[in-house]
Amino acid sequence: SALATATFALEPGARVRIGAGVATERRWDGVRISVRTGGEVVVGENTWLRSDLAPVILNAYEGACLEIGPDGFLNGAQVSAKAGVRLGRGTWLGPGTRVWDSDQHAIDEARPERPRAVEIGDHVWVAADVTILAGVSIGSHSVIGTRSMVTSSIPEHSLAFGTPARRRGEVGDRSRVPI
């Protein structure tokens, strides 16, 4: 199996579903999947977890689902789900990209951690070193430029970039764009 060299940290009651045709390089520790009790990671069929540049890291915390749709492409990306993260069909995450649905910790005693689901539509390309924060949705057929920080939702068919990322143009149909 292509995932024979992956690292799995699974607590009791954790669920992992890997679709047919999922591929990765056979690098030691190139894919890391960590799932807490009641959490779930779903990797859709024909997804490529590319680990040439950096490991692909997938974390699902208690009760959260991290779902990667079919025909996805994660290239050295990190995805962390405490509420839930969904990547649509044919979505690409570039090297160094991070998707967080939570601040990961409380800011202080008065401001607790606030997990909020992230949804990325179908045929979205998120370029290199992008950070996508809690509560964001990115519409289908969108492109997010390198080194952007996505702090608010982006509509379908958008070219968005910057810190914070803003819609700067329009993108057509990406459903037939090859990797």
Side-chain angles (χ1 to χ4, degrees), residues 37-105:
T37 300
E40 181 175 27
V41 169
V42 179
V43 181
E45 63 187 22
N46 301 316
T47 292
W48 184 6
L49 303 175
R50 186 173 185 199
S51 60
D52 281 349
L53 299 175
V56 173
I57 301 172
L58 306 175
N59 294 306
Y61 288 83
E62 186 173 345
C65 181
L66 187 167
E67 180 182 357
I68 301 165
D71 305 314
F73 177 61
L74 280 67
N75 188 0
Q78 300 177 34
V79 183
S80 177
K82 286 191 172 183
V85 174
R86 183 187 171 281
L87 309 180
R89 172 181 291 277
T91 289
W92 308 345
L93 300 183
T97 289
R98 295 155 305 279
V99 179
W100 309 112
D101 72 352
S102 171
D103 298 329
Q104 300 301 313
H105 303 282

Side-chain angles (χ1 to χ4, degrees), residues 10-33:
L10 307 175
E11 290 185 355
R15 295 179 308 280
V16 176
R17 290 187 289 150
I18 308 290
V22 170
T24 189
E25 292 69 30
R26 291 173 82 65
R27 294 182 174 282
W28 182 254
D29 204 31
V31 175
R32 302 175 196 161
I33 299 175

